[in-house]
Amino acid sequence: MSDDRDAMVEERLSVFDDEPDLNDWVEVMCGAAMVVLGIFHLVEPGSLVDPDIMRWFAAAVVAAGAVWAGHGLKDMAVKEVRRSIALLDMVNNDQGVDTGLIRDVLLNQEAYREFLVHAYESAWEDGVITEGELKELKSFQEALGITDEEAADLNVKAAIKSAAADGEITADEAKSIETAAKAANMTEEATAQAVSDELDKAGGN
């Protein structure tokens, strides 16, 4: 199980295209060596060149070594942070049901009702609701605690809004609206009025 999890983590981290860990260690070790060499020549400039020039050169070597080693350490830290985030994300996904989300839905049903309205509108965009879309909408309805009557009413409104979006109602769209209206027990007069109101809104936009 651990091997599988490690493989999944590595798969997620592969999108970053990081350098091998060996490169980071080389940067750290070489940078540290430069710092040591630079400090040594700061203390013992020797007589090969002017001592002041050697000290300036040694100081530059110390700075360059520190930057190089710091870059390697930074890369290591970034990789560890990314790995930790990937592991935490996987742990959260393994926990199953999100009880916090369920609580939020139960406490804010009206807000999530709008989500169902948008879901119906999206399903009606092509003029027809497929069996798969209907099944998905039914699951949303049950999760939100919406009755069949309320869902049917939302369905009619979504069908009318989707059909009237272009400013006209085709014959196929009219049949779909009629079917949805019958399921919602809407009268022909109420349906016609709802269609007219939606067309007026579409024309006004």
Side-chain angles (χ1 to χ4, degrees):
M1 184 65 179
S2 178
D3 292 340
D4 293 339
R5 174 165 291 183
D6 289 342
M8 293 175 66
V9 171
E10 292 300 329
E11 182 180 356
R12 293 191 178 194
L13 295 178
S14 64
V15 299
F16 295 109
D17 194 25
D18 287 324
E19 296 178 347
D21 292 341
L22 180 61
N23 291 23
D24 299 332
W25 280 109
V26 169
E27 289 182 359
V28 172
M29 298 303 293
C30 290
M34 290 175 64
V35 170
V36 171
L37 183 63
I39 292 175
F40 174 78
H41 283 289
L42 278 172
V43 177
E44 295 289 341
S47 58
L48 184 62
V49 296
D50 183 79
D52 290 335
I53 294 177
M54 178 58 76
R55 286 191 176 94
W56 276 107
F57 179 73
V61 171
V62 170
V67 170
W68 199 5
H71 183 269
L73 291 172
K74 182 267 295 180
D75 286 348
M76 289 181 179
V78 168
K79 289 177 182 178
E80 287 302 317
V81 170
R82 287 173 178 169
R83 180 177 293 275
S84 298
I85 292 174
L87 284 171
L88 286 173
D89 185 53
M90 291 176 60
V91 169
N92 290 334
N93 290 338
D94 290 343
Q95 289 178 349
V97 178
D98 189 344
T99 55
L101 178 59
I102 294 176
R103 179 177 180 275
D104 190 40
V105 171
L106 293 176
L107 293 178
N108 303 279
Q109 291 191 15
E110 287 301 321
Y112 282 93
R113 189 183 297 265
E114 291 298 317
F115 167 77
L116 183 59
V117 173
H118 292 308
Y120 270 109
E121 291 175 1
S122 298
W124 276 110
E125 282 182 352
D126 57 357
V128 64
I129 294 183
T130 64
E131 287 296 327
E133 290 172 333
L134 188 60
K135 185 177 180 181
E136 183 180 35
L137 291 169
K138 184 68 174 179
S139 66
F140 292 157
Q141 173 196 335
E142 292 175 353
L144 295 173
I146 295 176
T147 64
D148 290 339
E149 292 76 13
E150 291 175 318
D153 185 54
L154 293 175
N155 184 35
V156 175
K157 292 179 179 178
I160 294 173
K161 185 174 182 179
S162 176
D166 57 358
E168 61 179 354
I169 305 292
T170 65
D172 290 338
E173 290 171 339
K175 290 181 180 179
S176 297
I177 293 173
E178 182 181 356
T179 301
K182 286 181 179 179
N185 295 322
M186 285 183 65
T187 63
E188 293 184 4
E189 293 77 9
T191 304
Q193 184 61 46
V195 170
S196 178
D197 292 342
E198 196 61 43
L199 286 173
D200 290 341
K201 290 180 182 178
N205 293 334

